[in-house]
Amino acid sequence: MRVDKYLWCVRYYKTRNMVTEACKKNHITVNGQVAKPSKEVFPTDKITFRKDQITQIITVLDIPENRVGAKLVDIYRKNETPPEAYAHLELLKLSKEHYRKSGTGRPTKKDRRDIDEYGEEINDEEEEN
């Protein structure tokens, strides 16, 4: 089976076109060699590719007939990606979240009123002392 079709069948990419683009950018290797989309893969081949800032390493166990359901993917591949890679991705997500929470922008009217109210409380406490 072609490498682009295989990675699409085992649900690593949403479309075959996305796999083809990754191959053209030399993001996918089969057994250590840069792969073109038409490169044939066989059981026991090691496929390495970079996706979502993680270098994924998988071993082909079997070749599927068609695109398979998410529950059946483990029959056709063995994921050998080190757990540290996933931990690193989680750390990146947390660091981005710390910098700026997603979905937050300008304060809403309610937020502004709460900020003003908080500032007034601090001023009142200082005047009493």
Side-chain angles (χ1 to χ4, degrees), residues 6 13-14 21 23 28-29 38 56 73 77 88 94 122:
Y6 178 80
Y13 288 90
K14 200 169 186 176
E21 290 299 317
C23 284
I28 298 175
T29 61
S38 60
Q56 301 271 352
V73 166
R77 59 102 171 128
H88 180 69
L94 290 174
I122 291 176

Side-chain angles (χ1 to χ4, degrees), residues 27-79:
H27 290 217
I28 298 175
T29 61
V30 177
N31 296 328
Q33 296 179 339
V34 176
K36 291 183 178 178
S38 60
K39 170 85 170 142
E40 292 288 321
V41 292
F42 302 99
T44 71
D45 282 352
K46 267 194 191 302
I47 301 175
T48 307
F49 58 97
R50 188 151 173 86
K51 184 167 187 262
D52 298 332
Q53 297 184 351
I54 294 180
T55 302
Q56 301 271 352
I57 304 166
I58 61 170
T59 302
V60 179
L61 297 178
D62 199 8
I63 305 295
E65 293 291 319
N66 293 321
R67 187 169 168 100
V68 295
K71 292 181 180 178
L72 303 175
V73 166
D74 289 333
I75 298 170
Y76 300 103
R77 59 102 171 128
K78 180 180 177 190
N79 190 355

Side-chain angles (χ1 to χ4, degrees), residues 4-11 13-16 67:
D4 63 340
K5 190 169 182 182
Y6 178 80
L7 288 173
W8 170 75
C9 283
V10 293
R11 298 184 164 267
Y13 288 90
K14 200 169 186 176
T15 64
R16 279 183 64 185
R67 187 169 168 100

Side-chain angles (χ1 to χ4, degrees), residues 61-112:
L61 297 178
D62 199 8
I63 305 295
E65 293 291 319
N66 293 321
R67 187 169 168 100
V68 295
K71 292 181 180 178
L72 303 175
V73 166
D74 289 333
I75 298 170
Y76 300 103
R77 59 102 171 128
K78 180 180 177 190
N79 190 355
E80 297 179 355
T81 307
E84 296 86 37
Y86 294 110
H88 180 69
L89 180 66
E90 197 64 34
L91 190 64
L92 279 173
K93 284 182 183 177
L94 290 174
S95 68
K96 287 180 183 176
E97 208 171 272
H98 176 72
Y99 175 68
R100 179 184 163 99
K101 297 263 186 218
S102 60
T104 57
R106 291 175 52 181
T108 62
K109 203 173 208 180
K110 183 182 181 320
D111 292 338
R112 196 195 75 238

